[in-house]
Amino acid sequence: MAISKEKMSSLEKRTIEEYKIDSLILMENAGMAIFNEIKDKDSFTIICGCGNNGGDGLVIARHLILTGKSVEIFIIGNSKTKEFSNNLEILEKLSNNINYIKEGDYDDLIESLEVNEVCVDAIFGIGLNRNLDEIYVDVIDIINRHGNYIVSVDIPSGMDADTGEEYGNCVAANVTYAISDIKIGETLNSSVGEIKKLYIGIVRFKDE
């Protein structure tokens, strides 16, 4: 059964506040779950926004690096969440291959996408509720044109989690790993590709 983003946010908030399961633990669980799904590949381009969806991407990147994979990380945006910043600090000690995307300067990203087997889309999560700035429209277009096999973290970037509508552009994923639950909007837009639900330890009960 698919759920709304309001319900998903409520379950996550209760898990953190009532059951005292730290948000960093949930992020680690999400990143590890996706890592385990894609670790058989050898080379990766991971594109992260600066929110918690991007934080999931950084966790994925860390575990791939620690298991000897070839990983290039690209970061887009400026307003970093605490969880993102914590994971970036760890990753900076493990990799010199962290790049920051600037509007109009996409050559390195294109080359990385064309060379590497897998693109991990970790730009936006279910909280997106506005039209995309031009740089995000451009980067998503580049992902769709140059990515060899595209994996989206929780939801394809650019998609509304409730309606499936697109905010100017949307990643066309080969597979989307829905964290904890499939969102309603993901059932209404084929850009999700194959969709798989992953357990990360969100507290819920059978009647929810």
Side-chain angles (χ1 to χ4, degrees):
M1 183 179 70
I3 68 172
S4 68
K5 60 184 176 183
E6 181 180 7
K7 180 63 174 177
M8 186 71 256
S9 297
S10 174
L11 289 171
E12 184 173 350
K13 182 178 180 182
R14 186 180 70 176
T15 297
I16 294 168
E17 294 182 357
E18 184 177 343
Y19 292 92
K20 307 302 179 184
I21 300 174
D22 194 274
S23 58
L24 282 169
I25 293 174
L26 297 177
M27 184 172 287
E28 188 71 22
N29 290 351
M32 178 65 81
I34 296 175
F35 159 77
N36 281 323
E37 293 285 332
I38 65 176
K39 63 184 179 182
D40 290 340
K41 302 297 185 181
D42 293 318
S43 58
F44 300 83
T45 301
I46 300 184
I47 306 170
C48 299
C50 290
N52 285 356
N53 192 261
D56 295 340
L58 296 180
V59 173
I60 296 166
R62 168 163 39 91
H63 288 293
L64 290 169
I65 290 167
L66 290 173
T67 52
K69 307 298 183 177
S70 175
V71 182
E72 295 179 294
I73 302 108
F74 289 83
I75 294 172
I76 181 170
N78 298 300
S79 184
K80 301 179 176 69
T81 64
K82 173 179 67 72
E83 293 86 352
F84 179 93
S85 296
N86 286 349
N87 276 291
L88 180 60
E89 184 178 356
I90 297 168
L91 197 60
E92 286 173 337
K93 298 174 182 178
L94 297 172
S95 174
N96 294 320
N97 209 342
I98 301 173
N99 309 277
Y100 290 84
I101 298 173
K102 297 179 181 178
E103 188 168 355
D105 184 10
Y106 305 127
D107 289 348
D108 289 344
L109 175 61
I110 291 170
E111 181 180 357
S112 178
L113 287 166
E114 291 180 345
V115 167
N116 291 325
E117 292 176 86
V118 178
C119 167
V120 176
D121 154 39
I123 302 173
F124 291 114
I126 65 170
L128 182 66
N129 60 2
R130 60 177 175 81
N131 287 330
L132 300 175
D133 294 338
E134 185 174 354
I135 185 172
Y136 294 102
V137 173
D138 290 345
V139 168
I140 289 172
D141 187 52
I142 287 166
I143 290 170
N144 291 340
R145 286 191 289 117
H146 297 279
N148 291 308
Y149 185 82
I150 302 169
V151 170
S152 284
V153 175
D154 200 22
I155 191 168
S157 293
M159 183 183 296
D160 187 281
D162 282 338
T163 68
E165 294 178 7
E166 301 178 2
Y167 289 107
N169 206 352
C170 181
V171 170
N174 293 97
V175 59
T176 297
Y177 292 108
I179 294 172
S180 188
D181 288 87
I182 295 170
K183 317 311 180 289
I184 294 169
E186 294 178 312
T187 68
L188 303 172
N189 189 323
S190 62
S191 290
V192 296
E194 181 184 6
I195 189 162
K196 296 183 178 182
K197 183 171 73 171
L198 298 178
Y199 169 83
I200 68 161
I202 296 287
V203 175
R204 61 183 308 145
F205 301 99
K206 288 183 179 180
D207 59 344
E208 292 182 303

